[in-house]
Amino acid sequence: MEEVEIHLLKNVDLKGATLIEGFPSVGLVSSIVANYLIGALKLEQVGIMDSSFFPTVALVKDGVPLNPVRLYSGNTEGGKVVVFISEFQPPTDMIKEIAERVLEWGVEHGCSLIVSPEGLIVDRDEGVEDFVEVYGIGSTREAHDILEENGVPLFDEGVITGIAGVLLNEGRKKGFDVVSLLAEAHPDYPDARAAARVIETVDRLVLKMGLDTGPLYSEAGRIEDELKNIHRRAEIVKRPEGQHRPSMYG
Amino acid sequence: MEEVEIHLLKNVDLKGATLIEGFPSVGLVSSIVANYLIGALKLEQVGIMDSSFFPTVALVKDGVPLNPVRLYSGNTEGGKVVVFISEFQPPTDMIKEIAERVLEWGVEHGCSLIVSPEGLIVDRDEGVEDFVEVYGIGSTREAHDILEENGVPLFDEGVITGIAGVLLNEGRKKGFDVVSLLAEAHPDYPDARAAARVIETVDRLVLKMGLDTGPLYSEAGRIEDELKNIHRRAEIVKRPEGQHRPSMYG
Amino acid sequence: MEEVEIHLLKNVDLKGATLIEGFPSVGLVSSIVANYLIGALKLEQVGIMDSSFFPTVALVKDGVPLNPVRLYSGNTEGGKVVVFISEFQPPTDMIKEIAERVLEWGVEHGCSLIVSPEGLIVDRDEGVEDFVEVYGIGSTREAHDILEENGVPLFDEGVITGIAGVLLNEGRKKGFDVVSLLAEAHPDYPDARAAARVIETVDRLVLKMGLDTGPLYSEAGRIEDELKNIHRRAEIVKRPEGQHRPSMYG
Amino acid sequence: MEEVEIHLLKNVDLKGATLIEGFPSVGLVSSIVANYLIGALKLEQVGIMDSSFFPTVALVKDGVPLNPVRLYSGNTEGGKVVVFISEFQPPTDMIKEIAERVLEWGVEHGCSLIVSPEGLIVDRDEGVEDFVEVYGIGSTREAHDILEENGVPLFDEGVITGIAGVLLNEGRKKGFDVVSLLAEAHPDYPDARAAARVIETVDRLVLKMGLDTGPLYSEAGRIEDELKNIHRRAEIVKRPEGQHRPSMYG
Amino acid sequence: MEEVEIHLLKNVDLKGATLIEGFPSVGLVSSIVANYLIGALKLEQVGIMDSSFFPTVALVKDGVPLNPVRLYSGNTEGGKVVVFISEFQPPTDMIKEIAERVLEWGVEHGCSLIVSPEGLIVDRDEGVEDFVEVYGIGSTREAHDILEENGVPLFDEGVITGIAGVLLNEGRKKGFDVVSLLAEAHPDYPDARAAARVIETVDRLVLKMGLDTGPLYSEAGRIEDELKNIHRRAEIVKRPEGQHRPSMYG
């Protein structure tokens, strides 16, 4: 298993589904979005993504061991969705392969749209409750129409790096609809408010669940704490691998 | 021989056997467990695991040269067992390949269960004789049932790295029963007491030998000393390779 | 996608076309030339060049996501042209592969000539408005004739590195006409005046558009500012990838 | 030629021959043994071992250019022998491949036994003329019998690294007779006395030449000086490759 | 084009020709020899050697772009010759592949002899006009005969590294005649006098042109200056690649 591969744990029909990717981005916007949607929509784990270069780690939740990159799926008012969530930041030299594999896989399974949340770096003061703007950009004419019809302001000049950047390029190259939603986010910590704004936009564009955005912000805060917590535990458990396992032949 | 390969020195029927892995873990818990079981159950060496990236070393015991990673097998009241033992800590980038190869090999030979001991880092004072708890986690519903039926408390939230983590993930992916037993262990030295507690649990779950746990703790201490001794000798012998062989062309 | 590949977004007939490459060179001469020609000749994007080792970035212009290396094409009085433009400096170990791929691709599509602009390092004072000389060198007898017929002084002793150097070598090896135009340029910033002089030469040799060289110099200045601007934005956006994305397992 | 390959310069029948390896070991014991035997038994060069990763060097002796790793062969009272001698210390990551290739080659050519001399580190004072003990260990029951029948004390606990370690492991794995002879040797310089003791043991076990051990010790001293001399010359000649060849493009 | 390949620019019949290699050696002896012979014998470029790991550079001479490694050929009184000349010092890990490719190519084209000039390090005072000795060594009995018949003293003990060392080893392995001519040379600068002495020897052995050795020494001095000059220009032009091309995405 050299390459990035996607393995389904159960048969799912994803024809016409919207694929939402949740690989870590600026302010962990995509991670928080993916986490929230999995919980709020009661999505079920349907698969894993793996590679020989992914971390050798099982994340245990509710007594179940989980791969670091997983696929969840379920139904919404707006149709089927499949969400990719990753517990780790892929190394730079794997980003192209991962993004290309996600898009190819979406095409193979008949998905109709990929949504890629991203954070746009801004330097807001923490106390100031400014309104967070969400911009959109699409890989095709059709993707742009979706944004315009839903009143999402266009991101028309700039640079988009990472998974979102590659998904947009590949979508344009292959004529597949990819939408990236960019929320102004603080780069130094998980930005739950930015993620909440993206969730509202995803709901409006795709899910049509009329998600109650009242508890959304506090929910997002909980997820933010949990993410920090996972990080802290990972730090602690990570130590033995490097230093604490007594070596034998050194 | 690029990849990790397993070579049998004699034909063995391992249908229905329990596979216990003993690659170095936190507090060398799995190493001590594997060493103890090989001695106490009078297991016989049946094979070796090798790779072009494993150390170029023969460990000599009783005048017999031994590969650094070996397979031992034998019978218990609870059925056949096969134990993997490794004298060295695999480099991080080989852990996935090794763990996947162990699981595939177990499937190929009809093994019914993999047991993977691990240490959980705690910072006990050396003098204090606290009770050491052993937690369990399984890759499948059936693996969980084994733990529950035997009263092993569940490890339900956290992160498991290394061989045990990959075995759990792969077991879940392929529907193969993997049980990881996690004992609180001191990370800085071989923790014989933690290993003794895991051995008791393995006996209760699998071996059904009613092993006398009285001498177990002192036995574990002897193994601990031997491991330190091997380490020391390895350090001494290792020197010439790096520095002491007079080079010729440098 | 390991290797460098060229993907066409639409069918184009490039038989007899002149291929102009715009990979970054000394003083960004080739980048400015390519940028100017794409705008002035209203060229249309017809393809992309990509590789798994190219940066994971989408450059957004007018709401359209763009790959970092792109092909543009269109008609001039002197015949069809196809321009390669790259937003990034390829790493040294990719230069041979890129240049060879460009030339092979030109041959496959029936192009008749490759023009490769380069900067020649000189240490002019910024304020002094010296005349910038443009030298030419060709890979074949025919390529030299083109230069001589148009009064371009010959670059007859020296060393040419990078994309231009490889294109000349490969052109000579395969008997394909490659012309490199070398303008004296300042190495430390985008040198718009040097690029303007190359554009005039390209016009005289190939395009026959009688481009008004009056506004050319100020236009070049605008492009120079835009390049600096892109650079600055890239710097800002680049930060999160390295440092600002909160890692999870680190 | 990526891998380690063995090339014969003339056809030789090595059926039943004893293969003696002379890759550098602790105290250069194996190198001195191989050098001495080649001279004393008037062995003839029959082949070379080479790899694209071996040093780019020709050792000139008596006006003949020699590869750094060579095979010599000839007859003794005890039967045919083939000796491998290496002028350089293989890098750690090639030791497995070299040792495996030696053993495979021995099997292919019908050799009946491999003898691998090694040095055991001791810290003798240089002036003190202690008796040097030679220990033996075999890969198989038959190999052990050879040692016991000849009164060689068994090396029964410890760690053997490098070529000798891999040969023992591979011999055990494949049921091929490998004997390693370990002489106490000083690690910091070529130890001729330790080598002399191994030569006596090899003579007793295999060669049956009743070699006169009187001049053996002074002969060994000469070889020791020659080895130091080769080393010194190699040091001098090696310099230009790194620093002294004036580079052109750097 | 991963490997080292040789490409002919025109069909040449090299049956029975002498191949003279001019890759940089101690004191640049082989480079100066090759340069001199190309000029003095009015040899014509007939091919190039290339690899994806060779420098991305075109050397321009008389308005013609040249690959860094080239083949020249022509006739002499002593028969056809083909000369390899390299403008750069190959990295250590390419020397085997290059030397093997040269020899294979010589065999394929029916060449009858390879001559490899080398410098032998000595520490002459610059002012002292000592006589420079040229030693020879051959890969075969026949190659030795050529040296003896022409009164070239034999290099009979020592170490020869680099291209010459590999050519001698490969020649002996394959029974192909290779002669290395070693002149005492100063390692720190291009040693024209050493090269002149080698040229005289090559003339006596192979070319039979009765080259006038009077102007040879001053000619060699000119070449020496030119080599220094190329080096200096390469240094200047090399700068932009590393530092001076303004990067765009960094």
Side-chain angles (χ1 to χ4, degrees), chain D residues 63-84:
Chain D
V64 177
L66 301 172
N67 274 72
V69 187
R70 304 178 300 281
L71 284 66
Y72 290 81
S73 183
N75 290 300
T76 70
E77 293 298 315
K80 283 174 285 192
V81 293
V82 57
V83 174
F84 280 66

Side-chain angles (χ1 to χ4, degrees), chain A:
Chain A
M1 186 187 54
E2 279 282 313
E3 298 167 21
V4 171
E5 67 172 30
I6 294 169
H7 177 84
L8 286 180
L9 296 171
K10 54 185 64 185
N11 275 327
V12 277
D13 175 13
L14 296 169
K15 199 154 180 92
T18 296
L19 189 162
I20 301 165
E21 67 87 1
F23 285 86
S25 53
V26 170
L28 289 184
V29 166
S30 40
S31 302
I32 303 172
V33 169
N35 255 308
Y36 180 85
L37 292 179
I38 288 166
L41 301 173
K42 300 192 195 325
L43 304 182
E44 185 189 19
Q45 192 192 348
V46 296
I48 60 178
M49 179 185 258
D50 205 359
S51 155
S52 52
F53 300 109
F54 282 11
T56 57
V57 70
L59 184 73
V60 180
K61 280 191 182 172
D62 300 325
V64 177
L66 300 173
N67 274 71
V69 188
R70 303 180 300 283
L71 284 67
Y72 290 82
S73 183
N75 289 301
T76 70
E77 292 299 316
K80 283 174 285 192
V81 292
V82 57
V83 174
F84 281 66
I85 188 161
S86 168
E87 311 286 347
F88 78 103
Q89 169 83 39
T92 305
D93 61 2
M94 293 202 73
I95 282 175
K96 265 214 169 169
E97 195 181 346
I98 289 172
E100 287 174 5
R101 191 72 200 93
V102 166
L103 191 136
E104 282 166 20
W105 186 88
V107 171
E108 287 164 19
H109 285 76
C111 295
S112 60
L113 177 68
I114 290 178
V115 176
S116 176
E118 247 303 348
L120 272 182
I121 295 175
V122 290
D123 287 309
R124 284 179 300 169
D125 289 322
E126 275 198 44
V128 185
E129 293 288 322
D130 291 333
F131 178 77
V132 177
E133 189 60 89
V134 174
Y135 300 92
I137 177 168
S139 62
T140 59
R141 190 64 257 156
E142 289 70 27
H144 270 253
D145 289 347
I146 295 169
L147 294 167
E148 274 175 32
E149 286 161 14
N150 289 277
V152 181
L154 208 64
F155 180 80
D156 59 357
E157 297 288 330
V159 175
I160 299 173
T161 60
I163 299 277
V166 179
L167 285 173
L168 285 167
N169 283 343
E170 289 294 305
R172 180 155 183 249
K173 178 174 158 188
K174 295 184 175 166
F176 188 87
D177 297 347
V178 175
V179 161
S180 184
L181 298 174
L182 304 119
E184 295 165 355
H186 200 291
D188 294 332
Y189 58 90
D191 193 327
R193 283 201 306 138
R197 286 285 293 128
V198 170
I199 291 165
E200 290 168 358
T201 309
V202 174
D203 190 20
R204 197 161 80 241
L205 261 66
V206 176
L207 310 175
K208 318 288 185 192
M209 299 292 280
L211 288 171
D212 179 9
T213 55
L216 200 63
Y217 288 85
S218 55
E219 270 297 289
R222 190 188 55 74
I223 292 169
E224 181 184 324
D225 285 345
E226 191 180 309
L227 285 173
K228 284 181 182 164
N229 201 24
I230 288 172
H231 190 182
R232 196 179 50 77
R233 277 187 305 193
E235 281 296 314
I236 292 168
V237 178
K238 197 169 56 182
R239 280 164 49 206
E241 194 149 88
Q243 297 144 268
H244 282 293
R245 290 181 193 229
S247 69
M248 299 192 69
Y249 293 121

Side-chain angles (χ1 to χ4, degrees), chain C residues 24-28 31 55 57 59 68 86-89 92 95-96 100 118 121 137-139 144 154-163 165-166 168-170 172-174 187-190 227 230-231 234-235 238, chain E residues 1-2 5-9 45-68 70 72 226 230 233-234 236-250:
Chain C
S25 54
V26 171
L28 288 185
S31 302
V57 70
L59 184 74
S86 169
E87 310 287 346
F88 77 103
Q89 170 82 39
T92 305
I95 282 175
K96 264 212 169 171
E100 286 173 5
E118 246 304 347
I121 295 176
I137 176 167
S139 62
H144 271 252
L154 207 63
F155 181 78
D156 60 357
E157 298 288 328
V159 175
I160 299 173
T161 60
I163 299 278
V166 179
L168 286 167
N169 283 342
E170 288 294 304
R172 180 155 183 250
K173 178 174 159 188
K174 296 185 174 162
D188 294 332
Y189 58 89
L227 284 173
I230 287 172
H231 190 182
E235 281 298 313
K238 198 169 54 181
Chain E
M1 187 188 52
E2 281 279 314
E5 68 172 30
I6 294 169
H7 178 85
L8 286 180
L9 296 172
Q45 192 191 349
V46 295
I48 59 176
M49 179 186 257
D50 205 359
S51 155
S52 51
F53 300 110
F54 282 11
T56 57
V57 69
L59 184 74
V60 180
K61 280 191 183 171
D62 300 325
V64 177
L66 301 172
N67 274 71
R70 303 178 300 283
Y72 290 81
E226 191 180 309
I230 287 171
R233 276 186 307 192
I236 292 167
V237 179
K238 199 167 54 181
R239 279 163 52 207
E241 193 148 86
Q243 298 143 268
H244 281 295
R245 289 179 195 231
S247 69
M248 298 192 69
Y249 293 121

Side-chain angles (χ1 to χ4, degrees), chain B residues 45 50-51 58 60 244 248, chain D residues 87 96 157-158 160 172 187-188:
Chain B
Q45 192 192 348
D50 205 359
S51 154
V60 180
H244 282 294
M248 299 193 67
Chain D
E87 311 285 347
K96 266 210 169 172
E157 298 288 328
I160 298 173
R172 180 157 184 248
D188 295 331

Side-chain angles (χ1 to χ4, degrees), chain E residues 68-84:
Chain E
V69 188
R70 303 178 300 283
L71 284 66
Y72 290 81
S73 183
N75 290 301
T76 71
E77 293 297 316
K80 283 173 284 191
V81 292
V82 57
V83 174
F84 280 65

Side-chain angles (χ1 to χ4, degrees), chain B residues 24 30 34 46 64 68 112 155 160 162 188 200 229 236 240:
Chain B
S30 40
V46 296
V64 177
S112 59
F155 180 79
I160 298 173
D188 294 332
E200 289 169 358
N229 201 24
I236 292 169

Side-chain angles (χ1 to χ4, degrees), chain C:
Chain C
M1 185 188 54
E2 280 281 313
E3 298 166 21
V4 171
E5 67 172 30
I6 294 169
H7 178 85
L8 286 180
L9 297 171
K10 55 185 64 184
N11 275 328
V12 276
D13 175 13
L14 296 169
K15 199 152 179 90
T18 296
L19 188 161
I20 301 166
E21 66 88 1
F23 285 86
S25 54
V26 171
L28 288 185
V29 167
S30 41
S31 302
I32 302 172
V33 170
N35 254 309
Y36 179 85
L37 292 179
I38 289 165
L41 301 173
K42 300 193 195 326
L43 304 182
E44 184 190 20
Q45 192 192 349
V46 295
I48 60 177
M49 179 186 258
D50 205 358
S51 155
S52 52
F53 300 110
F54 281 11
T56 56
V57 70
L59 184 74
V60 180
K61 280 191 182 171
D62 300 325
V64 177
L66 300 172
N67 274 71
V69 188
R70 303 179 300 283
L71 285 65
Y72 290 82
S73 184
N75 290 300
T76 72
E77 293 298 315
K80 283 174 284 191
V81 293
V82 57
V83 174
F84 281 66
I85 189 162
S86 169
E87 310 287 346
F88 77 103
Q89 170 82 39
T92 305
D93 61 2
M94 293 201 73
I95 282 175
K96 264 212 169 171
E97 195 181 347
I98 289 172
E100 286 173 5
R101 192 73 200 91
V102 167
L103 191 136
E104 283 166 17
W105 186 88
V107 172
E108 286 164 19
H109 285 76
C111 295
S112 60
L113 176 68
I114 292 178
V115 176
S116 176
E118 246 304 347
L120 272 183
I121 295 176
V122 290
D123 288 308
R124 283 179 299 169
D125 290 321
E126 275 198 45
V128 185
E129 293 288 324
D130 291 332
F131 178 76
V132 177
E133 188 62 86
V134 175
Y135 300 91
I137 176 167
S139 62
T140 59
R141 189 64 258 156
E142 289 70 27
H144 271 252
D145 290 347
I146 296 170
L147 295 167
E148 273 175 32
E149 287 161 13
N150 288 277
V152 181
L154 207 63
F155 181 78
D156 60 357
E157 298 288 328
V159 175
I160 299 173
T161 60
I163 299 278
V166 179
L167 285 173
L168 286 167
N169 283 342
E170 288 294 304
R172 180 155 183 250
K173 178 174 159 188
K174 296 185 174 162
F176 188 87
D177 297 347
V178 175
V179 161
S180 184
L181 298 174
L182 303 119
E184 295 165 354
H186 200 291
D188 294 332
Y189 58 89
D191 192 327
R193 282 201 307 138
R197 286 283 292 128
V198 170
I199 291 165
E200 291 169 357
T201 309
V202 174
D203 191 20
R204 196 160 79 240
L205 262 65
V206 176
L207 310 175
K208 319 289 185 190
M209 298 293 278
L211 288 170
D212 179 9
T213 56
L216 199 63
Y217 288 85
S218 56
E219 269 297 289
R222 191 189 53 74
I223 293 169
E224 180 184 323
D225 285 345
E226 191 179 309
L227 284 173
K228 282 181 183 165
N229 201 25
I230 287 172
H231 190 182
R232 196 179 50 76
R233 277 187 305 192
E235 281 298 313
I236 292 168
V237 178
K238 198 169 54 181
R239 279 163 52 206
E241 193 148 86
Q243 298 144 267
H244 282 295
R245 290 181 193 228
S247 68
M248 299 192 69
Y249 293 120

